[in-house]
Amino acid sequence: MPIFIPSSLTEATQLLSKNPDAHLLTGGTDMMVEVNFNHRHPDTVIALRNIPEFQRWNIDTASGLVHIGSSVPYATMEHGDLAKALPALAEAARTVGSPQIRAAGSIGGNLGTCSPAGDSLPVLAALDAVVHLQSESSRRSVSFAEFMVGPKRNSRLPNEIITGVSIPITNGWQGYAKVGVRNAMVISVASVCLAIHDNKVRVALGSLGPTIIRCTESENWINSIGLANIDHSLAKEFADHVRAESRPIDDHRSTAEYRRHAVGVLAARLLLRGVQK
Ligand SMILES: Cc1cc2nc3c(=O)[nH]c(=O)nc-3n(C[C@H](O)[C@H](O)[C@H](O)COP(=O)(O)OP(=O)(O)OC[C@H]3O[C@@H](n4cnc5c(N)ncnc54)[C@H](O)[C@@H]3O)c2cc1C
């Protein structure tokens, strides 16, 4: 099986053009599981970890954006300036797998897999992130909402590579919370990202539907009340609004009923943390 290891984006997009059936690999923490379980049989692999611009991140205060290259691993998002700029992403990153998984697993791989349980994805949805894609001949950027189109389905074209994401910096509190069947090494049963920007709340849910759900009705409801007025009783009502926007299913990880209960608890807790009540 040929494994190409390009050292530039140009080389990678040319290789993908010439080998349209090639499988893209970053950390391999999703792909190698599929190979090991015989669910995927790559004839050709293009490994992207050696492309320098994919490994970089930067905080651009002039544009108010954080740019994260697709190969940046969770371990980098957990601490330091990146975590200070994007606390919700840091919290999400800390919940992923084990230290070994966080050292190898990347934001590009999470987007590539596009599971509704992907921990970085509710954060990208709540923060209005943009995903950057490049082929040999063109480059485009799409909002996260346009990028994720179904469970494990995204709008990446076969000749495109995810190069990274741009995430607007918010001026208010942001946080991420997840429930799983245990406290570590666990895929989420329900997850919520809540962010406050210009005194307005934004909420996105993971593992509560076929895609990440942005709760626009709940956002409008709570924002019409105003952050200064939020108390424990309103937080409970907010939980009900969020539950109403969730679309949980029964599966091997949980029941729809438990997920609906859990997401309300998480949303209310995050809201109260956000307004410090
Ligand atoms: C033990 C274990 C625990 C885990 N725990 C969690 C968890 O708690 N939360 C969570 O969200 N995930 C978890 N995962 C899943 C996985 O670690 C993440 O989804 C991770 O982000 C995948 O990144 P990767 O770089 O390893 O992707 P890879 O496995 O390399 O790739 C994943 C998919 O994305 C595609 N891809 C990779 N890079 C690109 C690119 N630049 N452009 C286009 N497509 C690309 C690949 O072709 C493949 O389809 C876990 C996995 C394991 C094995």
Side-chain angles (χ1 to χ4, degrees), residues 24-31 33 40 48 70 74 95-97 101 104-106 109-110 112-113 117-119 156 161-162 178 185-187:
L24 301 172
L25 178 94
T26 299
T29 60
D30 273 326
M31 194 169 121
V33 173
R40 206 199 261 234
L48 303 168
S70 56
Y74 297 105
T95 74
V96 172
I101 297 295
S106 66
N110 218 215
T113 298
D119 280 305
R156 180 181 76 85
I161 296 176
I162 302 163
K178 158 177 168 180
M185 279 292 282
V186 73
I187 302 294

PDB file of all heavy atoms in Angstrom, residues 24-31 33 40 48 70 74 95-97 101 104-106 109-110 112-113 117-119 156 161-162 178 185-187, ligand 1:
ATOM      1  N   LEU A  24      -6.983  10.241   3.421  1.00  0.00           N
ATOM      2  CA  LEU A  24      -6.175  11.237   4.125  1.00  0.00           C
ATOM      3  C   LEU A  24      -6.000  10.804   5.576  1.00  0.00           C
ATOM      4  O   LEU A  24      -6.941  10.327   6.202  1.00  0.00           O
ATOM      5  CB  LEU A  24      -6.861  12.601   4.059  1.00  0.00           C
ATOM      6  CG  LEU A  24      -7.115  13.142   2.645  1.00  0.00           C
ATOM      7  CD1 LEU A  24      -7.962  14.408   2.696  1.00  0.00           C
ATOM      8  CD2 LEU A  24      -5.791  13.399   1.920  1.00  0.00           C
ATOM      9  N   LEU A  25      -4.809  10.992   6.082  1.00  0.00           N
ATOM     10  CA  LEU A  25      -4.510  10.569   7.461  1.00  0.00           C
ATOM     11  C   LEU A  25      -3.810  11.709   8.190  1.00  0.00           C
ATOM     12  O   LEU A  25      -2.856  12.286   7.674  1.00  0.00           O
ATOM     13  CB  LEU A  25      -3.575   9.351   7.425  1.00  0.00           C
ATOM     14  CG  LEU A  25      -3.136   8.812   8.776  1.00  0.00           C
ATOM     15  CD1 LEU A  25      -4.059   7.693   9.221  1.00  0.00           C
ATOM     16  CD2 LEU A  25      -1.711   8.289   8.718  1.00  0.00           C
ATOM     17  N   THR A  26      -4.295  12.028   9.384  1.00  0.00           N
ATOM     18  CA  THR A  26      -3.555  12.987  10.223  1.00  0.00           C
ATOM     19  C   THR A  26      -3.026  12.215  11.432  1.00  0.00           C
ATOM     20  O   THR A  26      -1.951  11.636  11.372  1.00  0.00           O
ATOM     21  CB  THR A  26      -4.419  14.211  10.589  1.00  0.00           C
ATOM     22  OG1 THR A  26      -4.799  14.866   9.360  1.00  0.00           O
ATOM     23  CG2 THR A  26      -3.635  15.207  11.414  1.00  0.00           C
ATOM     24  N   GLY A  27      -3.792  12.175  12.546  1.00  0.00           N
ATOM     25  CA  GLY A  27      -3.297  11.427  13.715  1.00  0.00           C
ATOM     26  C   GLY A  27      -3.589   9.936  13.629  1.00  0.00           C
ATOM     27  O   GLY A  27      -2.991   9.128  14.342  1.00  0.00           O
ATOM     28  N   GLY A  28      -4.561   9.570  12.811  1.00  0.00           N
ATOM     29  CA  GLY A  28      -4.909   8.152  12.646  1.00  0.00           C
ATOM     30  C   GLY A  28      -5.771   7.590  13.772  1.00  0.00           C
ATOM     31  O   GLY A  28      -6.100   6.405  13.772  1.00  0.00           O
ATOM     32  N   THR A  29      -6.205   8.432  14.729  1.00  0.00           N
ATOM     33  CA  THR A  29      -6.920   7.874  15.886  1.00  0.00           C
ATOM     34  C   THR A  29      -8.357   7.462  15.546  1.00  0.00           C
ATOM     35  O   THR A  29      -8.963   6.690  16.285  1.00  0.00           O
ATOM     36  CB  THR A  29      -6.942   8.871  17.075  1.00  0.00           C
ATOM     37  OG1 THR A  29      -7.606  10.070  16.672  1.00  0.00           O
ATOM     38  CG2 THR A  29      -5.541   9.193  17.557  1.00  0.00           C
ATOM     39  N   ASP A  30      -8.901   7.980  14.458  1.00  0.00           N
ATOM     40  CA  ASP A  30     -10.177   7.459  13.951  1.00  0.00           C
ATOM     41  C   ASP A  30      -9.910   6.442  12.842  1.00  0.00           C
ATOM     42  O   ASP A  30     -10.476   5.354  12.826  1.00  0.00           O
ATOM     43  CB  ASP A  30     -11.040   8.587  13.359  1.00  0.00           C
ATOM     44  CG  ASP A  30     -11.900   9.268  14.412  1.00  0.00           C
ATOM     45  OD1 ASP A  30     -12.349   8.572  15.341  1.00  0.00           O
ATOM     46  OD2 ASP A  30     -12.116  10.478  14.302  1.00  0.00           O
ATOM     47  N   MET A  31      -9.023   6.836  11.910  1.00  0.00           N
ATOM     48  CA  MET A  31      -8.865   6.003  10.719  1.00  0.00           C
ATOM     49  C   MET A  31      -8.298   4.619  11.047  1.00  0.00           C
ATOM     50  O   MET A  31      -8.772   3.613  10.520  1.00  0.00           O
ATOM     51  CB  MET A  31      -7.968   6.697   9.711  1.00  0.00           C
ATOM     52  CG  MET A  31      -8.069   6.040   8.368  1.00  0.00           C
ATOM     53  SD  MET A  31      -7.282   7.027   7.136  1.00  0.00           S
ATOM     54  CE  MET A  31      -6.101   5.846   6.595  1.00  0.00           C
ATOM     55  N   VAL A  33      -8.596   2.920  13.726  1.00  0.00           N
ATOM     56  CA  VAL A  33      -9.624   2.095  14.384  1.00  0.00           C
ATOM     57  C   VAL A  33     -10.480   1.436  13.303  1.00  0.00           C
ATOM     58  O   VAL A  33     -10.761   0.235  13.356  1.00  0.00           O
ATOM     59  CB  VAL A  33     -10.501   2.957  15.340  1.00  0.00           C
ATOM     60  CG1 VAL A  33     -11.666   2.153  15.892  1.00  0.00           C
ATOM     61  CG2 VAL A  33      -9.658   3.524  16.468  1.00  0.00           C
ATOM     62  N   ARG A  40     -12.517  -0.226   6.864  1.00  0.00           N
ATOM     63  CA  ARG A  40     -11.922   0.635   5.842  1.00  0.00           C
ATOM     64  C   ARG A  40     -10.695  -0.075   5.289  1.00  0.00           C
ATOM     65  O   ARG A  40      -9.936  -0.668   6.061  1.00  0.00           O
ATOM     66  CB  ARG A  40     -11.499   1.950   6.511  1.00  0.00           C
ATOM     67  CG  ARG A  40     -11.461   3.140   5.543  1.00  0.00           C
ATOM     68  CD  ARG A  40     -10.626   4.226   6.139  1.00  0.00           C
ATOM     69  NE  ARG A  40     -11.408   5.266   6.781  1.00  0.00           N
ATOM     70  CZ  ARG A  40     -11.286   6.560   6.487  1.00  0.00           C
ATOM     71  NH1 ARG A  40     -10.455   6.957   5.555  1.00  0.00           N
ATOM     72  NH2 ARG A  40     -11.964   7.451   7.132  1.00  0.00           N
ATOM     73  N   LEU A  48      -0.732  13.588   6.418  1.00  0.00           N
ATOM     74  CA  LEU A  48      -0.660  15.055   6.349  1.00  0.00           C
ATOM     75  C   LEU A  48       0.123  15.687   7.504  1.00  0.00           C
ATOM     76  O   LEU A  48       0.242  16.911   7.559  1.00  0.00           O
ATOM     77  CB  LEU A  48      -2.084  15.622   6.334  1.00  0.00           C
ATOM     78  CG  LEU A  48      -2.981  15.116   5.195  1.00  0.00           C
ATOM     79  CD1 LEU A  48      -4.442  15.500   5.454  1.00  0.00           C
ATOM     80  CD2 LEU A  48      -2.519  15.677   3.857  1.00  0.00           C
ATOM     81  N   SER A  70      -5.096  22.257  10.546  1.00  0.00           N
ATOM     82  CA  SER A  70      -5.870  21.022  10.704  1.00  0.00           C
ATOM     83  C   SER A  70      -5.136  19.926  11.471  1.00  0.00           C
ATOM     84  O   SER A  70      -5.765  19.065  12.070  1.00  0.00           O
ATOM     85  CB  SER A  70      -6.296  20.494   9.335  1.00  0.00           C
ATOM     86  OG  SER A  70      -5.168  20.310   8.529  1.00  0.00           O
ATOM     87  N   TYR A  74      -5.134  17.949  20.030  1.00  0.00           N
ATOM     88  CA  TYR A  74      -5.840  18.408  21.236  1.00  0.00           C
ATOM     89  C   TYR A  74      -4.873  18.852  22.317  1.00  0.00           C
ATOM     90  O   TYR A  74      -5.150  19.802  23.050  1.00  0.00           O
ATOM     91  CB  TYR A  74      -6.750  17.295  21.786  1.00  0.00           C
ATOM     92  CG  TYR A  74      -7.831  16.910  20.820  1.00  0.00           C
ATOM     93  CD1 TYR A  74      -7.761  15.718  20.102  1.00  0.00           C
ATOM     94  CD2 TYR A  74      -8.908  17.754  20.592  1.00  0.00           C
ATOM     95  CE1 TYR A  74      -8.751  15.380  19.201  1.00  0.00           C
ATOM     96  CE2 TYR A  74      -9.898  17.425  19.686  1.00  0.00           C
ATOM     97  CZ  TYR A  74      -9.820  16.233  18.990  1.00  0.00           C
ATOM     98  OH  TYR A  74     -10.791  15.911  18.088  1.00  0.00           O
ATOM     99  N   THR A  95     -11.360  16.774  27.454  1.00  0.00           N
ATOM    100  CA  THR A  95     -12.244  15.607  27.643  1.00  0.00           C
ATOM    101  C   THR A  95     -11.973  14.492  26.626  1.00  0.00           C
ATOM    102  O   THR A  95     -12.550  13.416  26.729  1.00  0.00           O
ATOM    103  CB  THR A  95     -13.745  15.983  27.502  1.00  0.00           C
ATOM    104  OG1 THR A  95     -14.049  16.205  26.118  1.00  0.00           O
ATOM    105  CG2 THR A  95     -14.119  17.195  28.315  1.00  0.00           C
ATOM    106  N   VAL A  96     -11.138  14.762  25.631  1.00  0.00           N
ATOM    107  CA  VAL A  96     -10.952  13.772  24.556  1.00  0.00           C
ATOM    108  C   VAL A  96     -10.033  12.637  25.022  1.00  0.00           C
ATOM    109  O   VAL A  96      -8.921  12.901  25.500  1.00  0.00           O
ATOM    110  CB  VAL A  96     -10.359  14.428  23.281  1.00  0.00           C
ATOM    111  CG1 VAL A  96      -9.992  13.383  22.234  1.00  0.00           C
ATOM    112  CG2 VAL A  96     -11.345  15.438  22.694  1.00  0.00           C
ATOM    113  N   GLY A  97     -10.532  11.411  24.878  1.00  0.00           N
ATOM    114  CA  GLY A  97      -9.724  10.202  25.035  1.00  0.00           C
ATOM    115  C   GLY A  97      -8.734  10.238  26.180  1.00  0.00           C
ATOM    116  O   GLY A  97      -9.066  10.571  27.317  1.00  0.00           O
ATOM    117  N   ILE A 101      -4.201   9.833  22.904  1.00  0.00           N
ATOM    118  CA  ILE A 101      -5.141  10.241  21.847  1.00  0.00           C
ATOM    119  C   ILE A 101      -5.058  11.748  21.636  1.00  0.00           C
ATOM    120  O   ILE A 101      -5.082  12.239  20.501  1.00  0.00           O
ATOM    121  CB  ILE A 101      -6.595   9.818  22.216  1.00  0.00           C
ATOM    122  CG1 ILE A 101      -6.712   8.289  22.309  1.00  0.00           C
ATOM    123  CG2 ILE A 101      -7.617  10.378  21.226  1.00  0.00           C
ATOM    124  CD1 ILE A 101      -6.486   7.538  21.026  1.00  0.00           C
ATOM    125  N   ALA A 104      -2.121  12.806  19.479  1.00  0.00           N
ATOM    126  CA  ALA A 104      -2.174  12.465  18.045  1.00  0.00           C
ATOM    127  C   ALA A 104      -3.420  13.011  17.361  1.00  0.00           C
ATOM    128  O   ALA A 104      -3.358  13.491  16.227  1.00  0.00           O
ATOM    129  CB  ALA A 104      -2.124  10.947  17.884  1.00  0.00           C
ATOM    130  N   GLY A 105      -4.555  12.960  18.036  1.00  0.00           N
ATOM    131  CA  GLY A 105      -5.842  13.341  17.422  1.00  0.00           C
ATOM    132  C   GLY A 105      -5.881  14.833  17.155  1.00  0.00           C
ATOM    133  O   GLY A 105      -5.420  15.643  17.959  1.00  0.00           O
ATOM    134  N   SER A 106      -6.454  15.195  16.014  1.00  0.00           N
ATOM    135  CA  SER A 106      -6.388  16.593  15.560  1.00  0.00           C
ATOM    136  C   SER A 106      -7.777  17.166  15.312  1.00  0.00           C
ATOM    137  O   SER A 106      -8.761  16.433  15.160  1.00  0.00           O
ATOM    138  CB  SER A 106      -5.598  16.637  14.250  1.00  0.00           C
ATOM    139  OG  SER A 106      -6.328  15.943  13.248  1.00  0.00           O
ATOM    140  N   GLY A 109      -8.921  16.023  11.885  1.00  0.00           N
ATOM    141  CA  GLY A 109      -9.460  14.656  11.913  1.00  0.00           C
ATOM    142  C   GLY A 109     -10.860  14.616  12.490  1.00  0.00           C
ATOM    143  O   GLY A 109     -11.728  13.862  12.028  1.00  0.00           O
ATOM    144  N   ASN A 110     -11.120  15.436  13.523  1.00  0.00           N
ATOM    145  CA  ASN A 110     -12.456  15.515  14.109  1.00  0.00           C
ATOM    146  C   ASN A 110     -13.453  16.022  13.068  1.00  0.00           C
ATOM    147  O   ASN A 110     -14.569  15.506  12.939  1.00  0.00           O
ATOM    148  CB  ASN A 110     -12.423  16.455  15.319  1.00  0.00           C
ATOM    149  CG  ASN A 110     -13.299  16.017  16.499  1.00  0.00           C
ATOM    150  OD1 ASN A 110     -13.870  16.848  17.193  1.00  0.00           O
ATOM    151  ND2 ASN A 110     -13.431  14.731  16.752  1.00  0.00           N
ATOM    152  N   GLY A 112     -12.922  15.820   9.776  1.00  0.00           N
ATOM    153  CA  GLY A 112     -12.953  14.814   8.709  1.00  0.00           C
ATOM    154  C   GLY A 112     -13.950  13.720   9.040  1.00  0.00           C
ATOM    155  O   GLY A 112     -14.746  13.303   8.195  1.00  0.00           O
ATOM    156  N   THR A 113     -13.924  13.253  10.289  1.00  0.00           N
ATOM    157  CA  THR A 113     -14.866  12.200  10.704  1.00  0.00           C
ATOM    158  C   THR A 113     -16.275  12.758  10.821  1.00  0.00           C
ATOM    159  O   THR A 113     -17.248  12.123  10.457  1.00  0.00           O
ATOM    160  CB  THR A 113     -14.420  11.580  12.045  1.00  0.00           C
ATOM    161  OG1 THR A 113     -13.134  10.979  11.846  1.00  0.00           O
ATOM    162  CG2 THR A 113     -15.398  10.540  12.554  1.00  0.00           C
ATOM    163  N   ALA A 117     -20.749  13.193  17.836  1.00  0.00           N
ATOM    164  CA  ALA A 117     -20.131  13.137  19.168  1.00  0.00           C
ATOM    165  C   ALA A 117     -18.749  13.784  19.199  1.00  0.00           C
ATOM    166  O   ALA A 117     -18.110  13.814  20.253  1.00  0.00           O
ATOM    167  CB  ALA A 117     -20.030  11.674  19.621  1.00  0.00           C
ATOM    168  N   GLY A 118     -18.268  14.288  18.077  1.00  0.00           N
ATOM    169  CA  GLY A 118     -16.930  14.895  18.040  1.00  0.00           C
ATOM    170  C   GLY A 118     -16.863  16.070  19.013  1.00  0.00           C
ATOM    171  O   GLY A 118     -17.696  16.981  18.942  1.00  0.00           O
ATOM    172  N   ASP A 119     -15.898  16.059  19.912  1.00  0.00           N
ATOM    173  CA  ASP A 119     -15.922  17.043  20.997  1.00  0.00           C
ATOM    174  C   ASP A 119     -15.573  18.464  20.567  1.00  0.00           C
ATOM    175  O   ASP A 119     -16.019  19.414  21.211  1.00  0.00           O
ATOM    176  CB  ASP A 119     -14.995  16.592  22.136  1.00  0.00           C
ATOM    177  CG  ASP A 119     -15.664  15.556  23.022  1.00  0.00           C
ATOM    178  OD1 ASP A 119     -16.757  15.849  23.525  1.00  0.00           O
ATOM    179  OD2 ASP A 119     -15.114  14.459  23.183  1.00  0.00           O
ATOM    180  N   ARG A 156     -17.031  18.429   2.392  1.00  0.00           N
ATOM    181  CA  ARG A 156     -15.709  18.393   1.736  1.00  0.00           C
ATOM    182  C   ARG A 156     -15.815  17.636   0.419  1.00  0.00           C
ATOM    183  O   ARG A 156     -16.401  16.551   0.374  1.00  0.00           O
ATOM    184  CB  ARG A 156     -14.693  17.683   2.647  1.00  0.00           C
ATOM    185  CG  ARG A 156     -13.301  17.601   2.056  1.00  0.00           C
ATOM    186  CD  ARG A 156     -12.344  16.865   2.980  1.00  0.00           C
ATOM    187  NE  ARG A 156     -12.524  15.425   2.962  1.00  0.00           N
ATOM    188  CZ  ARG A 156     -11.964  14.591   2.068  1.00  0.00           C
ATOM    189  NH1 ARG A 156     -11.195  15.067   1.098  1.00  0.00           N
ATOM    190  NH2 ARG A 156     -12.190  13.299   2.143  1.00  0.00           N
ATOM    191  N   ILE A 161      -8.716  19.116   0.747  1.00  0.00           N
ATOM    192  CA  ILE A 161      -8.112  18.807   2.048  1.00  0.00           C
ATOM    193  C   ILE A 161      -8.525  19.916   3.015  1.00  0.00           C
ATOM    194  O   ILE A 161      -8.557  21.095   2.628  1.00  0.00           O
ATOM    195  CB  ILE A 161      -6.570  18.756   1.918  1.00  0.00           C
ATOM    196  CG1 ILE A 161      -6.161  17.602   0.987  1.00  0.00           C
ATOM    197  CG2 ILE A 161      -5.914  18.590   3.283  1.00  0.00           C
ATOM    198  CD1 ILE A 161      -4.653  17.520   0.720  1.00  0.00           C
ATOM    199  N   ILE A 162      -8.879  19.541   4.234  1.00  0.00           N
ATOM    200  CA  ILE A 162      -9.170  20.556   5.262  1.00  0.00           C
ATOM    201  C   ILE A 162      -7.829  21.124   5.703  1.00  0.00           C
ATOM    202  O   ILE A 162      -6.955  20.375   6.176  1.00  0.00           O
ATOM    203  CB  ILE A 162      -9.898  19.933   6.478  1.00  0.00           C
ATOM    204  CG1 ILE A 162     -11.209  19.259   6.060  1.00  0.00           C
ATOM    205  CG2 ILE A 162     -10.128  20.978   7.568  1.00  0.00           C
ATOM    206  CD1 ILE A 162     -11.760  18.277   7.099  1.00  0.00           C
ATOM    207  N   LYS A 178     -19.689  17.857  29.079  1.00  0.00           N
ATOM    208  CA  LYS A 178     -19.969  16.592  28.370  1.00  0.00           C
ATOM    209  C   LYS A 178     -20.377  15.535  29.388  1.00  0.00           C
ATOM    210  O   LYS A 178     -19.829  15.498  30.484  1.00  0.00           O
ATOM    211  CB  LYS A 178     -18.680  16.207  27.653  1.00  0.00           C
ATOM    212  CG  LYS A 178     -18.462  14.763  27.254  1.00  0.00           C
ATOM    213  CD  LYS A 178     -17.134  14.684  26.490  1.00  0.00           C
ATOM    214  CE  LYS A 178     -16.623  13.295  26.262  1.00  0.00           C
ATOM    215  NZ  LYS A 178     -15.346  13.253  25.524  1.00  0.00           N
ATOM    216  N   MET A 185     -11.831   8.827  28.954  1.00  0.00           N
ATOM    217  CA  MET A 185     -11.767   7.901  27.818  1.00  0.00           C
ATOM    218  C   MET A 185     -13.162   7.540  27.333  1.00  0.00           C
ATOM    219  O   MET A 185     -13.518   6.366  27.239  1.00  0.00           O
ATOM    220  CB  MET A 185     -11.036   6.608  28.228  1.00  0.00           C
ATOM    221  CG  MET A 185      -9.540   6.720  28.214  1.00  0.00           C
ATOM    222  SD  MET A 185      -8.898   6.900  26.545  1.00  0.00           S
ATOM    223  CE  MET A 185      -8.990   5.222  25.980  1.00  0.00           C
ATOM    224  N   VAL A 186     -13.939   8.556  27.070  1.00  0.00           N
ATOM    225  CA  VAL A 186     -15.331   8.270  26.748  1.00  0.00           C
ATOM    226  C   VAL A 186     -15.841   9.194  25.638  1.00  0.00           C
ATOM    227  O   VAL A 186     -15.520  10.368  25.585  1.00  0.00           O
ATOM    228  CB  VAL A 186     -16.191   8.374  28.032  1.00  0.00           C
ATOM    229  CG1 VAL A 186     -16.377   9.812  28.486  1.00  0.00           C
ATOM    230  CG2 VAL A 186     -17.524   7.705  27.854  1.00  0.00           C
ATOM    231  N   ILE A 187     -16.589   8.596  24.738  1.00  0.00           N
ATOM    232  CA  ILE A 187     -17.261   9.371  23.693  1.00  0.00           C
ATOM    233  C   ILE A 187     -18.540   9.942  24.320  1.00  0.00           C
ATOM    234  O   ILE A 187     -19.206   9.258  25.100  1.00  0.00           O
ATOM    235  CB  ILE A 187     -17.609   8.447  22.489  1.00  0.00           C
ATOM    236  CG1 ILE A 187     -16.344   7.792  21.922  1.00  0.00           C
ATOM    237  CG2 ILE A 187     -18.386   9.190  21.413  1.00  0.00           C
ATOM    238  CD1 ILE A 187     -15.348   8.710  21.272  1.00  0.00           C
TER     239      ILE A 187
HETATM  240  C1  LIG B   1      -9.435   5.527  22.315  1.00  0.00           C
HETATM  241  C2  LIG B   1     -10.068   6.665  21.565  1.00  0.00           C
HETATM  242  C3  LIG B   1     -10.745   7.644  22.268  1.00  0.00           C
HETATM  243  C4  LIG B   1     -11.336   8.714  21.591  1.00  0.00           C
HETATM  244  N1  LIG B   1     -11.987   9.666  22.312  1.00  0.00           N
HETATM  245  C5  LIG B   1     -12.568  10.713  21.663  1.00  0.00           C
HETATM  246  C6  LIG B   1     -13.265  11.712  22.400  1.00  0.00           C
HETATM  247  O1  LIG B   1     -13.355  11.679  23.633  1.00  0.00           O
HETATM  248  N2  LIG B   1     -13.808  12.734  21.683  1.00  0.00           N
HETATM  249  C7  LIG B   1     -13.717  12.821  20.317  1.00  0.00           C
HETATM  250  O2  LIG B   1     -14.225  13.789  19.729  1.00  0.00           O
HETATM  251  N3  LIG B   1     -13.074  11.879  19.605  1.00  0.00           N
HETATM  252  C8  LIG B   1     -12.500  10.836  20.242  1.00  0.00           C
HETATM  253  N4  LIG B   1     -11.854   9.864  19.519  1.00  0.00           N
HETATM  254  C9  LIG B   1     -11.841   9.984  18.060  1.00  0.00           C
HETATM  255  C10 LIG B   1     -10.616  10.721  17.472  1.00  0.00           C
HETATM  256  O3  LIG B   1      -9.530  10.741  18.379  1.00  0.00           O
HETATM  257  C11 LIG B   1     -10.944  12.165  17.074  1.00  0.00           C
HETATM  258  O4  LIG B   1     -12.032  12.220  16.181  1.00  0.00           O
HETATM  259  C12 LIG B   1      -9.748  12.879  16.438  1.00  0.00           C
HETATM  260  O5  LIG B   1     -10.009  14.255  16.357  1.00  0.00           O
HETATM  261  C13 LIG B   1      -9.387  12.353  15.051  1.00  0.00           C
HETATM  262  O6  LIG B   1      -8.245  13.058  14.608  1.00  0.00           O
HETATM  263  P1  LIG B   1      -7.085  12.307  13.805  1.00  0.00           P
HETATM  264  O7  LIG B   1      -6.091  13.350  13.460  1.00  0.00           O
HETATM  265  O8  LIG B   1      -6.568  11.147  14.575  1.00  0.00           O
HETATM  266  O9  LIG B   1      -7.906  11.823  12.536  1.00  0.00           O
HETATM  267  P2  LIG B   1      -7.590  10.649  11.503  1.00  0.00           P
HETATM  268  O10 LIG B   1      -7.925   9.327  12.123  1.00  0.00           O
HETATM  269  O11 LIG B   1      -6.254  10.805  10.906  1.00  0.00           O
HETATM  270  O12 LIG B   1      -8.690  10.998  10.391  1.00  0.00           O
HETATM  271  C14 LIG B   1     -10.059  10.964  10.695  1.00  0.00           C
HETATM  272  C15 LIG B   1     -10.867  11.220   9.419  1.00  0.00           C
HETATM  273  O13 LIG B   1     -10.632  12.531   8.940  1.00  0.00           O
HETATM  274  C16 LIG B   1     -10.026  12.502   7.649  1.00  0.00           C
HETATM  275  N5  LIG B   1      -9.009  13.543   7.674  1.00  0.00           N
HETATM  276  C17 LIG B   1      -7.951  13.652   8.511  1.00  0.00           C
HETATM  277  N6  LIG B   1      -7.279  14.800   8.291  1.00  0.00           N
HETATM  278  C18 LIG B   1      -7.927  15.421   7.263  1.00  0.00           C
HETATM  279  C19 LIG B   1      -7.719  16.657   6.574  1.00  0.00           C
HETATM  280  N7  LIG B   1      -6.717  17.513   6.883  1.00  0.00           N
HETATM  281  N8  LIG B   1      -8.562  16.959   5.548  1.00  0.00           N
HETATM  282  C20 LIG B   1      -9.590  16.138   5.227  1.00  0.00           C
HETATM  283  N9  LIG B   1      -9.847  14.985   5.868  1.00  0.00           N
HETATM  284  C21 LIG B   1      -9.021  14.629   6.866  1.00  0.00           C
HETATM  285  C22 LIG B   1      -9.490  11.100   7.478  1.00  0.00           C
HETATM  286  O14 LIG B   1      -9.433  10.712   6.127  1.00  0.00           O
HETATM  287  C23 LIG B   1     -10.480  10.294   8.270  1.00  0.00           C
HETATM  288  O15 LIG B   1     -11.641  10.070   7.521  1.00  0.00           O
HETATM  289  C24 LIG B   1     -11.245   8.795  20.169  1.00  0.00           C
HETATM  290  C25 LIG B   1     -10.538   7.806  19.461  1.00  0.00           C
HETATM  291  C26 LIG B   1      -9.953   6.757  20.149  1.00  0.00           C
HETATM  292  C27 LIG B   1      -9.194   5.704  19.374  1.00  0.00           C
END
